[in-house]
Amino acid sequence: MIDKEILVISFGTTYMESCEKGIGAIERAIASAFPDYVVRRAFTSGVVSGILKEKHGVLVDSVEEALERAFSNGIKTIIAQPTHIMNGREYNKMLDIFSRYKNKFDKIAIGAPLLTYKTDFNKVAKAIADYTQKYNNGSTAVCLMGHGTDVEANS
């Protein structure tokens, strides 16, 4: 019996194709790299989970549901790997939920969001510049969008 789990935690998406190409690809890569672990999915957005259930009949655990399931399944070691970009509201909510489960598992490890340290911003900016270099032809514009947050991580 496998008693180790990696919980891939995302805000979520209601677009099934995007989910499989993005979140699903991350989960498959993690499962391939860590074959001794069960890999499961959880979303921090209850709204997204509700839409998926209603429109597509797809059930995705909340973080709390996933932790309850892991505990019920006899998981001893749980690793949370968020796909969040920064330490915003959803990430902080996830940390709060995990704090309530610290005594139910032998070991809990929680990964950091992509943009946690100042050096992360430079690495991501370089990766984006390198990736989009092929579009630098004088007639193509690359537009990146995002939204901020009112928490301290809004860089």
Side-chain angles (χ1 to χ4, degrees):
M1 180 182 117
I2 297 178
D3 66 352
K4 300 182 289 187
E5 178 174 306
I6 299 174
L7 185 58
V8 180
I9 302 170
S10 307
F11 178 82
T13 178
T14 59
Y15 297 96
M16 299 304 294
E17 184 178 349
S18 296
C19 188
E20 281 314 303
K21 286 183 177 180
I23 297 167
I26 292 167
E27 292 166 343
R28 289 187 295 277
I30 289 172
S32 177
F34 298 94
D36 295 340
Y37 285 77
V38 173
V39 176
R40 295 201 182 274
R41 173 182 295 175
F43 286 171
T44 57
S45 173
V47 171
V48 168
S49 293
I51 292 170
L52 283 175
K53 181 179 178 184
E54 183 179 310
K55 282 189 173 182
H56 303 288
V58 173
L59 301 175
V60 177
D61 285 341
S62 67
V63 175
E64 193 157 14
E65 289 167 338
L67 290 172
E68 284 295 328
R69 182 184 312 277
F71 180 71
S72 295
N73 289 342
I75 298 296
K76 303 288 183 210
T77 298
I78 190 156
I79 297 172
Q81 184 52 62
T83 65
H84 298 100
I85 301 298
M86 62 186 188
N87 298 298
R89 195 174 315 207
E90 297 296 317
Y91 182 78
N92 292 339
K93 181 172 70 172
M94 179 202 72
L95 291 178
D96 181 55
I97 293 167
F98 265 87
S99 72
R100 298 193 307 260
Y101 284 82
K102 63 185 175 193
N103 296 323
K104 290 193 173 195
F105 300 97
D106 292 346
K107 182 176 182 182
I108 295 176
I110 302 173
L114 179 64
L115 299 175
T116 297
Y117 306 103
K118 288 185 181 186
T119 55
D120 297 338
F121 287 85
N122 292 333
K123 289 176 185 176
V124 169
K126 181 177 179 346
I128 291 170
D130 290 349
Y131 181 78
T132 58
Q133 183 62 37
K134 61 187 170 192
Y135 300 107
N136 189 9
N137 58 18
S139 64
T140 302
V142 175
C143 178
L144 303 174
M145 292 180 49
H147 62 80
T149 179
D150 57 1
V151 298
E152 67 282 353
N154 192 33
S155 298

